[in-house]
Amino acid sequence: MILIFLGPPGSGKGTQAKRLMSHRSWPQLSTGDMLRASISKGSALGMEAKKYMDQGHLVPDLVVVGMIAERIQEPDCRSGFILDGFPRTLPQAKSLDVMLAARNLSVDVVVEFQIKDSELLGRLSGRRTCSKCGTLYHIHTSPPQVSGICDVCGSDVIQRADDQESVIQKRLKVYHELTAPLVRFYSEQGKLRAIDASVSMAAVDVSVHDALGIA
Ligand code: ADP
Ligand code: ZN
């Protein structure tokens, strides 16, 4: 099963991909997490990507396509995977189709997380992230037990540079311009399943399972 979770920043696709991964044997492949891992390591790729990310711009297609092409060859991807935050542009989507076709594979289902921009602003500006394991928190709706400390691994919980209000606006604009066209692309392939992402996490979880036709 090859799945794509498509939706604007803050729509909850990362959270749902992690939940689904813990029930199934499909790894969650998040290009955002991979890029942040490169930044923490201080690699050349990470330093280059950071310039784009901090400003809410997309990292060049070639960079992320290369990362995904390598990642899907690993053994844990054999029975399927969940793409979270990739593809984000039409060229990325077309490259993905080509790299999958070369291995006789194709995308099975694209779940589109639908939610209004006004809802996303509140979610993203209150969002906090563990600097080490990536666990997500929200200052109002799901704070860590001890302020600033991750419940899971004990590392510092921080606000991502790109979760600042000025950058959030930019990311939403980029989403509508460059990523939203993928809705049509996958709908024409008959693969799109739209869900309402503005409801509770548990309710979204149910919609995701329904959309995939799994229990
Ligand atoms: P969110 O979905 O909340 O915006 P991500 O962690 O998925 O967060 O992405 C953070 C940033 O990483 C993006 O704003 C972008 O700069 C970069 N990025 C992640 N995935 C891609 C991608 N597929 N193509 C280009 N840039 C990407
Ligand atoms: Zn942590």
Side-chain angles (χ1 to χ4, degrees):
M1 191 74 140
I2 297 177
L3 307 176
I4 295 175
F5 282 10
L6 180 66
S11 59
K13 58 195 189 315
T15 304
Q16 294 300 334
K18 286 193 177 83
R19 283 168 83 123
L20 191 59
M21 169 174 74
S22 61
H23 297 304
R24 304 270 153 173
S25 53
W26 309 316
Q28 169 215 19
L29 311 188
S30 157
T31 38
D33 286 351
M34 291 178 197
L35 290 166
R36 279 185 292 277
S38 302
I39 293 174
S40 328
K41 273 192 296 188
S43 72
L45 186 151
M47 293 304 102
E48 180 62 20
K50 188 175 190 309
K51 291 191 239 158
Y52 297 95
M53 293 167 74
D54 284 355
Q55 293 183 48
H57 293 288
L58 294 185
V59 171
D61 289 338
L62 269 181
V63 174
V64 287
V65 167
M67 285 189 335
I68 288 292
E70 264 185 35
R71 182 65 184 85
I72 64 174
Q73 294 186 44
E74 287 179 30
D76 64 331
C77 291
R78 226 172 281 149
S79 67
F81 46 86
I82 311 166
L83 292 167
D84 160 20
F86 179 94
R88 249 177 160 96
T89 63
L90 272 173
Q92 289 180 22
K94 290 177 181 164
S95 302
L96 175 67
D97 280 352
V98 170
M99 74 173 90
L100 291 176
R103 320 173 81 214
N104 269 325
L105 297 170
S106 63
V107 172
D108 291 288
V109 179
V110 179
V111 181
E112 184 206 351
F113 288 62
Q114 290 185 331
I115 182 167
K116 290 206 204 80
D117 283 6
S118 50
E119 171 82 10
L120 295 172
L121 269 176
R123 285 194 185 185
L124 289 167
S125 55
R127 184 160 85 170
R128 298 294 182 270
T129 311
C130 173
S131 54
K132 182 135 187 245
C133 73
T135 298
L136 296 172
Y137 299 93
H138 190 282
I139 47 172
H140 301 307
T141 55
S142 55
Q145 275 164 13
V146 180
S147 171
I149 305 293
C150 178
D151 295 347
V152 178
C153 77
S155 303
D156 289 343
V157 170
I158 55 153
Q159 181 175 40
R160 270 168 44 181
D162 61 347
D163 277 344
Q164 286 173 64
E165 217 148 321
S166 54
V167 185
I168 293 171
Q169 299 282 7
K170 175 74 196 169
R171 287 160 67 204
L172 292 175
K173 190 162 172 271
V174 166
Y175 179 81
H176 291 299
E177 281 176 14
L178 298 175
T179 311
L182 297 184
V183 167
R184 176 143 179 229
F185 179 78
Y186 288 117
S187 142
E188 283 172 357
Q189 293 189 3
K191 293 178 176 168
L192 198 77
R193 312 268 187 283
I195 63 167
D196 178 4
S198 65
V199 293
S200 73
M201 258 204 294
V204 176
D205 192 69
V206 171
S207 308
V208 169
H209 281 78
D210 285 348
L212 300 179
I214 58 179

